[in-house]
Amino acid sequence: MTPTRRQALMQLAALSVAGLAMPAAVAQPVSRSALEAYVDILLPGEAGAPPASALGIAAEIEALAPEGTDFRRLISLGTAWLDDVQAGGQPGGFAAMPVDAQAQVVAWMAAAPYDEIPGRFYHVLRLFAGELYYVRPEARVGFPLNPAPQPAGYLPPWGAA
């Protein structure tokens, strides 16, 4: 990732978290297993493309969130919330839940208020996961993409008439 692109994503992260009331200090670290399971629910891979965790998307998101930033706190609080969803206190947290149950939790998060941790976590991390995932050629394998905007190619003056 180029330095300017990384800077733009970090600025977007700061703007995305602005105005969200979060505890000043977060004791728990980011739950990488919950984050990987979460991005795999969003981007499970299909048609030959790998799931997001196989491309290291969770690690890239975490790398965009330096310690002490609001974005890092959102990720930490969001993954802690995901792990706490696990009913009955079973070990393994969100990552140990059946995939159908994970998908139900993520669907609930999508409808949650944006000004609360689950809703903001869903929308902000979905944006970052999609951006980081689809920029990779491996994620676009099997997509029937036609790079030209028209079936017959570019219109004049950019293409042949």
Side-chain angles (χ1 to χ4, degrees), residues 118-142:
R120 185 75 58 106
F121 179 87
Y122 169 82
H123 288 287
V124 172
L125 269 72
R126 182 186 69 148
L127 173 77
F128 277 84
E131 171 72 19
L132 295 169
Y133 183 78
Y134 287 111
V135 75
R136 295 168 171 251
E138 311 92 285
R140 298 186 307 265
V141 170

Side-chain angles (χ1 to χ4, degrees), residues 93-156:
F94 183 74
M97 294 173 73
V99 173
D100 290 344
Q102 290 175 345
Q104 288 177 350
V105 170
V106 172
W108 180 90
M109 293 171 79
Y114 186 71
D115 288 332
E116 295 178 8
I117 299 291
R120 185 75 58 106
F121 179 87
Y122 169 82
H123 288 287
V124 172
L125 269 72
R126 182 186 69 148
L127 173 77
F128 277 84
E131 171 72 19
L132 295 169
Y133 183 78
Y134 287 111
V135 75
R136 295 168 171 251
E138 311 92 285
R140 298 186 307 265
V141 170
F143 284 1
L145 297 177
N146 179 0
Q150 304 292 325
Y154 290 94
L155 297 174

Side-chain angles (χ1 to χ4, degrees), residues 6-37:
R6 180 178 173 81
Q7 290 168 338
L9 285 174
M10 291 181 82
Q11 288 174 342
L12 179 61
L15 291 172
S16 299
V17 181
L20 181 61
M22 291 187 290
V26 176
Q28 69 267 13
V30 170
S31 170
R32 176 65 67 86
S33 62
L35 187 56
E36 287 179 348

Side-chain angles (χ1 to χ4, degrees), residues 13-101:
L15 291 172
S16 299
V17 181
L20 181 61
M22 291 187 290
V26 176
Q28 69 267 13
V30 170
S31 170
R32 176 65 67 86
S33 62
L35 187 56
E36 287 179 348
Y38 174 77
V39 297
D40 280 351
I41 290 295
L42 294 177
L43 301 160
E46 53 189 301
S53 64
L55 295 180
I57 301 304
E60 280 193 62
I61 290 172
E62 199 173 346
L64 287 170
E67 289 291 337
T69 63
D70 286 341
F71 189 39
R72 181 64 165 229
R73 289 200 320 257
L74 176 65
I75 295 170
S76 180
L77 290 167
T79 56
W81 184 89
L82 284 170
D83 280 342
D84 288 344
V85 167
Q86 175 69 16
Q90 297 296 317
F94 183 74
M97 294 173 73
V99 173
D100 290 344

